[in-house]
Amino acid sequence: MSPNPRIAWRQSTLRITRIHPPYHAPYDQHTIRHAPAHDPVRARAVVAELSTVSTVAEELEPMPRRDIGHPRHMDDLDYVAVGCWGDIVQISDPALGEDGILSTNLDATFDAQVKAHPEARITAVCEMNSAETYGKYLAHVPGQPRLSADGWDDQYVTGNPAQLLRAVGVGPGTPGAECLDSDQDEPFIGLEYLDLLACGLHSVYSRENLMVSVFKVTRTEDVREAIDEVWLQD
């Protein structure tokens, strides 16, 4: 690798969201301001348990979730944001990035969250944008089979998207629930779909007041190698 590698991606969304029971009614652009305040103490415990994190080197001042930026420099790849709002935990970590070939950190971290918190609804998204867009979407609903969808132009879906929506009480006609329509041939999993499972919190609203804790972390050698393979170009 050259001594001055560049970030290979123009934009990304990398997020795991945990919703613990009792499940709150979905938030929207109006009700999001009434979400519980962020808990920095709990956020410290969450980041310390992540398999993508070796140690926490520094804790920065909390910042608005809407201001979390896309990594643009190498140093940005070592910052993890965690939001803890009542029964909701959300993790944003560049180590979760992949392109369909390199890195399995998203699946491994998602599976670890499911194993540790089987009672929670857990969703994950990896969207990496450059000249084209790669997306991976994962979802766990207690008592239901795991859902996975990934691809570039087309998606390869495993699991039953409609079954998960019915399990959380979503009916036909809801934005993001097109897979419940009888005339829908191929289900498409995206942020609207995950919002239905994650109380609306995969969306970031322009006027929201959600805060997150930000941590500079160190990585193990294998996690660092996976990050570099996905993110950096000569």
Side-chain angles (χ1 to χ4, degrees):
M1 182 177 293
S2 78
N4 297 302
R6 296 181 298 164
I7 296 294
W9 302 91
R10 297 177 182 173
Q11 194 57 260
S12 63
T13 300
L14 301 160
R15 191 175 296 143
I16 289 180
T17 306
R18 246 172 40 212
I19 313 290
H20 293 266
Y23 305 114
H24 190 280
Y27 290 105
D28 59 27
Q29 60 181 332
H30 304 293
T31 61
I32 192 66
R33 298 189 66 82
H34 302 299
H38 170 60
D39 183 347
V41 175
R42 190 178 180 199
R44 290 180 205 122
V46 170
V47 74
E49 294 173 352
L50 292 176
S51 59
T52 57
V53 172
S54 178
T55 63
V56 176
E58 183 182 0
E59 181 175 355
L60 286 69
E61 288 295 318
M63 66 182 293
R65 180 181 75 148
R66 65 178 182 272
D67 290 343
I68 297 175
H70 167 77
R72 301 189 182 280
H73 307 283
M74 284 189 64
D75 289 348
D76 297 338
L77 299 174
D78 289 328
Y79 288 89
V80 177
V82 178
C84 295
W85 314 293
D87 296 324
I88 297 169
V89 173
Q90 189 167 85
I91 301 156
S92 297
D93 184 354
L96 305 179
E98 60 177 78
D99 60 5
I101 301 173
L102 301 171
S103 182
T104 57
N105 285 332
L106 183 70
D107 288 86
T109 306
F110 175 83
D111 290 341
Q113 293 288 311
V114 172
K115 183 177 181 180
H117 308 280
E119 80 291 349
R121 296 180 195 166
I122 304 175
T123 57
V125 57
C126 163
E127 286 187 347
M128 306 287 283
N129 304 292
S130 188
E132 299 178 277
T133 299
Y134 171 78
K136 174 177 274 189
Y137 309 90
L138 308 172
H140 162 78
V141 172
Q144 303 299 321
R146 182 183 191 270
L147 176 70
S148 174
D150 74 295
W152 290 84
D153 294 329
D154 300 313
Q155 283 189 338
Y156 178 74
V157 179
T158 58
N160 189 324
Q163 183 176 337
L164 265 63
L165 292 185
R166 286 191 290 266
V168 301
V170 175
T174 304
E178 290 77 12
C179 59
L180 293 171
D181 297 334
S182 58
D183 60 350
Q184 184 77 16
D185 294 330
E186 297 291 336
F188 181 82
I189 307 303
L191 293 184
E192 279 191 331
Y193 177 90
L194 293 187
D195 263 339
L196 296 175
L197 302 178
C199 290
L201 283 173
H202 269 296
S203 292
V204 177
Y205 305 99
S206 59
R207 296 184 179 180
E208 70 174 44
N209 58 355
L210 295 179
M211 301 295 289
V212 297
S213 291
V214 181
F215 305 90
K216 184 174 183 180
V217 304
T218 64
R219 313 286 194 176
T220 61
E221 184 176 350
D222 58 334
V223 171
R224 167 54 56 198
E225 289 178 353
I227 291 173
D228 290 350
E229 287 178 341
V230 170
W231 283 94
L232 302 182
Q233 65 181 12
D234 292 340

